Amino acid sequence: MLHLCLVSIRCRSQLGRPAWCPEQVEPRDSRLHGTGSGSEHWPSSTMDLNDSTSLAELMSRYVSTETGFGVPKDGWRICLAHEFKEKRKPFQARDVSLSNMIEHVSLGVRYLRWWYRKTQVEKKAPFIDMFRALPLRQIYGAPLGGIGGGSITRGWRGDFCRWQLNPGMYHYKTVIANQFTVCLRRGGQTVYQQVLSMDRPPTLQGWNWGYCGEYAFYHALYPRAWTVYHLPGQNVTLTCRQVSPVIPHDYKDSSLPVAVFVWDIENKNDYALDVSIMFTMVNGSGHKDDKSGGHWNEPFHLEKDGESVSGVLLHHQTPVNPYTLCIAAREKVIQTGFTVTRHQMAFSPKGTCSALWSDLMTDGRLDSPKDSSPPTQKGEEVAAALAVSCSVPANNHNSVEFSLAWDMPKITFGSRERIYVRYTRYYGTKGDAAPSLSHYALTHYSKWEESIDEWQRPILQDGSLPAWYKSALFNELYFVVDGGTVWVELPEDADISGGLRPEDGGLPAQPDVVKEYGRFAYLEGQEYRMYNTYDVHFYASFALIMLWPKLALSVQYDIAGSVVQHDPTERLNLMNGRYSPVKTRGVVPHDIGDPDDEPWVRANAYMIHDTADWKDLNLKFVLQVYRDYYLTQDEQYLKDMWPICQTVMEVELKFDKDGDGLIENSGYADQTYDGWKVTGPSAYCGGLWLASVCMMCKMARVLKCESVYQRYRDILERGRAAFDKLLWNGKYYNYDSSGQSLSNSVMSDQCAGQWFLRASGLGEDDYQAFPKEKICSALKSVFDLNVMSFAGGQMGAVNGMRPEGVPDHSSVQSDEVWVGVVYGLAATMIHEGMIEEGMHTAEGCYRAVWERMGMAFQTPEAYCEKGIYRSLAYMRPLSIWAIQLALNNRPNHNKTTDKDMGQGIRTGLCK
């Protein structure tokens, strides 16, 4: 029994009966507050970050004892009334040190001129907008929909608040009329009616707002999420389960732009209730084009295979990228009787909307006109409502099901080229697929859930894994859908080879994997609008190769085709003020383009540096080629990629200026750390180089190219000696070999080459690039300094640390934590047997981002110890799946569960 202190803030309930909101309550139930979720089996020293305390804080304001219907114990859980104490701000010019600011004055001037021309003259959005960084909104939840057909994010408080229907272009607007409402009736009379939202907006005043958030919690285990609402004073609990078809190794249903909401209703009274759930949706996304006119709604009913689905189609008729939203419900016969679906096809989301509220309150149903609504006039908006009613016996349970679908079969990028989205292969290109999509979702979501359970179960039931990790592993996958992702069909006349045919060392015009599985692209970040940014994809690619390997290979074919392409157009580089070609032949592109331009056609939207001179891009291609072959055993893929690997390595050899077998950096930020200068041989690029040379030896042996093997074997021998001589200091590898005052900084990412060797079953015997004892010593130094000497060991690993134990402040990036790099570092530690250290390192990032900073479902690229973050919703943290691969490679790991754990691939044991 808990004593609840009532305060003078109340939640307004229907019919004037107040529901009091308790201010605070001590956590009471480990199942509810997220403790005891398997973490007790993990070594105790990894739990120093107070697992139970952190999770309980997110649930500290929850006052009910209700646990919801079918809610799992693992995942990210938060009370709807929670307020994050830590409020961070985006990185801005004032956060740059004076020395760095002076050094980059010219860059700032050039950027300002370019930004003005882009925004004011061309009327385009900059690929990176330094003047309009996204403010932190601590509201986001699991996104809706499958992969590559657009996404809609529903926040953890129930708001529809982040929209990406136009490919790659985000719109951050909470549409207040998009809500679920509950109506309870007893004996023919409405006894309770409430919008399930804590908001009290200035519009829609005829509705009953202000649900008391202390009685509800949100729980996410992507691609599903649950919201549990206890209805104060009613003895009724609602559990809304949100299901999206994001299923590993599934290339059909995973592409569908649809989600399902299953409402489980628990009636704990001694009498029956009639319960209605109403779903309201505006025709649009809160964008200014919602008022452009010409939008209209129409009802539909589709019966197929004995299943009936009814709902409303909301036709959004914009000149570019028109689409149809669809809210629908399943009509079914159940033990307690029929579920009844009614709709109000069109209402204005402005004003009080009292008529709609009264319509539902009268009998728990809505009037259902059969005709379509007239097209809106300019300046008008239109919305639709759908209500489903059912009977719930005393002390019993019932459920109703809704779906939300959107149909935009042809997407147009900024240059107006049209491409068909992947799901049109199954549902056609006419723009009339929304009813069929809704019907399919409502009648097949249970099969989706079976597949999701089969995939997640081995990890969730593994008692050796801590609770935070299970949440992080699955929830970070949100970016596969919500990364501005597009998954499109390959046009019939497309030629991805770059004009170089297989007989000349090129690719097929239409490789089988691309023709069959389509093209895939995701943004570097929602704020960094470049598709398939390759230096970052290097980290994130583990999620794709382990879960959707055909998409990973498709990306590789696109990149390979781009290698042989050349765009001689001269362009200003913002960093140094020099002009260079947009794309140089023989070099891996930085990215495949900007969605506001024409991706796949015009590569390299990034123009800060001339990335043809970067040292890491070509190497990361080679490393991914062999890793992907190792994990998939796709021999044709390896054969197709082999000539491209030889091409990029030949180009890379020019950076070995002195012929010692080791490449040199050029004295500026010529790699993924594009704000951190590096000179001469370096730990990061030098390590990637040696790993790539090692993999060239392995691929040459597999393909029986003995002369190539011998050549790279010689380079490897010389390069290893040079690497140790120039960079090893007895404890770790120096940042670079320049001999400057900060060249001996400890870089957290210094073992990235070894990481990929281990992930590819290499790193020993004939294919060893680094002595094991030196790798272990380097990783121990990183753990002691970059992890444990930074922020009390509770925020992951800082990129650069001085050997005396203070962060390296020499650049804007050296004193940041990069979440995706930290996950890769953790995987490297685990590969080398440092399991406790690896998990502790990764845990710090998860705790900071998801539990303290309020950045759930928008994991940033970077944050500093205090105050600021940079680039919300970023690609790189998908590298957490590299941790799972490393864990799978542990000695005595049960190989029979690998496919269930989301691989369907080969894994190797650490010796």
Side-chain angles (χ1 to χ4, degrees), residues 168-180:
M169 308 300 289
Y170 273 86
H171 176 58
Y172 302 90
K173 176 71 173 180
T174 296
V175 182
I176 196 65
N178 293 353
Q179 298 290 346
F180 286 101

PDB file of all heavy atoms in Angstrom, residues 168-180:
ATOM      1  N   GLY A 168      13.219  11.908 -47.963  1.00  0.00           N
ATOM      2  CA  GLY A 168      14.405  12.520 -47.406  1.00  0.00           C
ATOM      3  C   GLY A 168      14.208  13.897 -46.819  1.00  0.00           C
ATOM      4  O   GLY A 168      15.145  14.472 -46.256  1.00  0.00           O
ATOM      5  N   MET A 169      13.020  14.456 -46.917  1.00  0.00           N
ATOM      6  CA  MET A 169      12.759  15.829 -46.462  1.00  0.00           C
ATOM      7  C   MET A 169      11.850  15.767 -45.232  1.00  0.00           C
ATOM      8  O   MET A 169      10.705  15.302 -45.324  1.00  0.00           O
ATOM      9  CB  MET A 169      12.111  16.657 -47.568  1.00  0.00           C
ATOM     10  CG  MET A 169      12.869  16.612 -48.897  1.00  0.00           C
ATOM     11  SD  MET A 169      14.556  17.234 -48.802  1.00  0.00           S
ATOM     12  CE  MET A 169      14.239  18.984 -48.600  1.00  0.00           C
ATOM     13  N   TYR A 170      12.353  16.245 -44.121  1.00  0.00           N
ATOM     14  CA  TYR A 170      11.622  16.119 -42.852  1.00  0.00           C
ATOM     15  C   TYR A 170      10.808  17.359 -42.531  1.00  0.00           C
ATOM     16  O   TYR A 170      11.173  18.478 -42.858  1.00  0.00           O
ATOM     17  CB  TYR A 170      12.588  15.813 -41.708  1.00  0.00           C
ATOM     18  CG  TYR A 170      12.817  14.330 -41.576  1.00  0.00           C
ATOM     19  CD1 TYR A 170      13.802  13.706 -42.332  1.00  0.00           C
ATOM     20  CD2 TYR A 170      12.022  13.549 -40.755  1.00  0.00           C
ATOM     21  CE1 TYR A 170      13.998  12.337 -42.246  1.00  0.00           C
ATOM     22  CE2 TYR A 170      12.207  12.179 -40.656  1.00  0.00           C
ATOM     23  CZ  TYR A 170      13.198  11.582 -41.414  1.00  0.00           C
ATOM     24  OH  TYR A 170      13.374  10.221 -41.339  1.00  0.00           O
ATOM     25  N   HIS A 171       9.704  17.100 -41.854  1.00  0.00           N
ATOM     26  CA  HIS A 171       8.790  18.154 -41.412  1.00  0.00           C
ATOM     27  C   HIS A 171       8.425  17.838 -39.966  1.00  0.00           C
ATOM     28  O   HIS A 171       7.885  16.770 -39.673  1.00  0.00           O
ATOM     29  CB  HIS A 171       7.548  18.158 -42.307  1.00  0.00           C
ATOM     30  CG  HIS A 171       6.498  19.126 -41.889  1.00  0.00           C
ATOM     31  ND1 HIS A 171       6.720  20.474 -41.771  1.00  0.00           N
ATOM     32  CD2 HIS A 171       5.192  18.932 -41.533  1.00  0.00           C
ATOM     33  CE1 HIS A 171       5.604  21.072 -41.374  1.00  0.00           C
ATOM     34  NE2 HIS A 171       4.678  20.162 -41.224  1.00  0.00           N
ATOM     35  N   TYR A 172       8.779  18.749 -39.059  1.00  0.00           N
ATOM     36  CA  TYR A 172       8.597  18.515 -37.625  1.00  0.00           C
ATOM     37  C   TYR A 172       7.408  19.335 -37.137  1.00  0.00           C
ATOM     38  O   TYR A 172       7.533  20.509 -36.823  1.00  0.00           O
ATOM     39  CB  TYR A 172       9.870  18.898 -36.873  1.00  0.00           C
ATOM     40  CG  TYR A 172      11.085  18.135 -37.352  1.00  0.00           C
ATOM     41  CD1 TYR A 172      11.868  18.638 -38.395  1.00  0.00           C
ATOM     42  CD2 TYR A 172      11.440  16.919 -36.787  1.00  0.00           C
ATOM     43  CE1 TYR A 172      12.978  17.942 -38.854  1.00  0.00           C
ATOM     44  CE2 TYR A 172      12.547  16.215 -37.237  1.00  0.00           C
ATOM     45  CZ  TYR A 172      13.307  16.733 -38.270  1.00  0.00           C
ATOM     46  OH  TYR A 172      14.400  16.038 -38.724  1.00  0.00           O
ATOM     47  N   LYS A 173       6.266  18.704 -37.122  1.00  0.00           N
ATOM     48  CA  LYS A 173       5.041  19.401 -36.739  1.00  0.00           C
ATOM     49  C   LYS A 173       4.127  18.437 -36.009  1.00  0.00           C
ATOM     50  O   LYS A 173       3.794  17.360 -36.526  1.00  0.00           O
ATOM     51  CB  LYS A 173       4.337  19.952 -37.988  1.00  0.00           C
ATOM     52  CG  LYS A 173       3.010  20.609 -37.730  1.00  0.00           C
ATOM     53  CD  LYS A 173       3.149  21.948 -37.020  1.00  0.00           C
ATOM     54  CE  LYS A 173       1.821  22.674 -36.924  1.00  0.00           C
ATOM     55  NZ  LYS A 173       1.954  23.968 -36.241  1.00  0.00           N
ATOM     56  N   THR A 174       3.721  18.806 -34.810  1.00  0.00           N
ATOM     57  CA  THR A 174       2.725  18.014 -34.095  1.00  0.00           C
ATOM     58  C   THR A 174       1.345  18.431 -34.574  1.00  0.00           C
ATOM     59  O   THR A 174       0.957  19.599 -34.440  1.00  0.00           O
ATOM     60  CB  THR A 174       2.853  18.233 -32.582  1.00  0.00           C
ATOM     61  OG1 THR A 174       4.130  17.757 -32.153  1.00  0.00           O
ATOM     62  CG2 THR A 174       1.755  17.492 -31.839  1.00  0.00           C
ATOM     63  N   VAL A 175       0.610  17.499 -35.144  1.00  0.00           N
ATOM     64  CA  VAL A 175      -0.739  17.763 -35.635  1.00  0.00           C
ATOM     65  C   VAL A 175      -1.704  17.406 -34.513  1.00  0.00           C
ATOM     66  O   VAL A 175      -1.959  16.231 -34.250  1.00  0.00           O
ATOM     67  CB  VAL A 175      -1.037  16.965 -36.916  1.00  0.00           C
ATOM     68  CG1 VAL A 175      -2.426  17.297 -37.444  1.00  0.00           C
ATOM     69  CG2 VAL A 175       0.023  17.265 -37.979  1.00  0.00           C
ATOM     70  N   ILE A 176      -2.230  18.411 -33.866  1.00  0.00           N
ATOM     71  CA  ILE A 176      -2.933  18.209 -32.607  1.00  0.00           C
ATOM     72  C   ILE A 176      -4.238  17.443 -32.780  1.00  0.00           C
ATOM     73  O   ILE A 176      -4.700  16.753 -31.859  1.00  0.00           O
ATOM     74  CB  ILE A 176      -3.192  19.565 -31.903  1.00  0.00           C
ATOM     75  CG1 ILE A 176      -3.568  19.337 -30.425  1.00  0.00           C
ATOM     76  CG2 ILE A 176      -4.246  20.380 -32.631  1.00  0.00           C
ATOM     77  CD1 ILE A 176      -2.447  18.729 -29.605  1.00  0.00           C
ATOM     78  N   ALA A 177      -4.850  17.520 -33.964  1.00  0.00           N
ATOM     79  CA  ALA A 177      -6.122  16.823 -34.169  1.00  0.00           C
ATOM     80  C   ALA A 177      -5.946  15.329 -34.400  1.00  0.00           C
ATOM     81  O   ALA A 177      -6.931  14.581 -34.400  1.00  0.00           O
ATOM     82  CB  ALA A 177      -6.874  17.439 -35.351  1.00  0.00           C
ATOM     83  N   ASN A 178      -4.710  14.876 -34.632  1.00  0.00           N
ATOM     84  CA  ASN A 178      -4.450  13.447 -34.829  1.00  0.00           C
ATOM     85  C   ASN A 178      -4.400  12.775 -33.458  1.00  0.00           C
ATOM     86  O   ASN A 178      -3.376  12.841 -32.758  1.00  0.00           O
ATOM     87  CB  ASN A 178      -3.135  13.241 -35.572  1.00  0.00           C
ATOM     88  CG  ASN A 178      -3.171  13.738 -36.992  1.00  0.00           C
ATOM     89  OD1 ASN A 178      -4.220  14.131 -37.493  1.00  0.00           O
ATOM     90  ND2 ASN A 178      -2.035  13.711 -37.658  1.00  0.00           N
ATOM     91  N   GLN A 179      -5.489  12.149 -33.077  1.00  0.00           N
ATOM     92  CA  GLN A 179      -5.614  11.633 -31.712  1.00  0.00           C
ATOM     93  C   GLN A 179      -6.427  10.346 -31.678  1.00  0.00           C
ATOM     94  O   GLN A 179      -7.171  10.024 -32.605  1.00  0.00           O
ATOM     95  CB  GLN A 179      -6.313  12.661 -30.815  1.00  0.00           C
ATOM     96  CG  GLN A 179      -5.606  13.985 -30.654  1.00  0.00           C
ATOM     97  CD  GLN A 179      -4.329  13.905 -29.848  1.00  0.00           C
ATOM     98  OE1 GLN A 179      -4.058  12.902 -29.165  1.00  0.00           O
ATOM     99  NE2 GLN A 179      -3.517  14.960 -29.920  1.00  0.00           N
ATOM    100  N   PHE A 180      -6.269   9.639 -30.555  1.00  0.00           N
ATOM    101  CA  PHE A 180      -7.184   8.561 -30.196  1.00  0.00           C
ATOM    102  C   PHE A 180      -8.017   9.029 -29.004  1.00  0.00           C
ATOM    103  O   PHE A 180      -7.499   9.674 -28.077  1.00  0.00           O
ATOM    104  CB  PHE A 180      -6.419   7.295 -29.810  1.00  0.00           C
ATOM    105  CG  PHE A 180      -5.825   6.572 -30.985  1.00  0.00           C
ATOM    106  CD1 PHE A 180      -4.484   6.704 -31.296  1.00  0.00           C
ATOM    107  CD2 PHE A 180      -6.613   5.755 -31.787  1.00  0.00           C
ATOM    108  CE1 PHE A 180      -3.922   6.038 -32.361  1.00  0.00           C
ATOM    109  CE2 PHE A 180      -6.064   5.086 -32.867  1.00  0.00           C
ATOM    110  CZ  PHE A 180      -4.710   5.227 -33.157  1.00  0.00           C
TER     111      PHE A 180
END
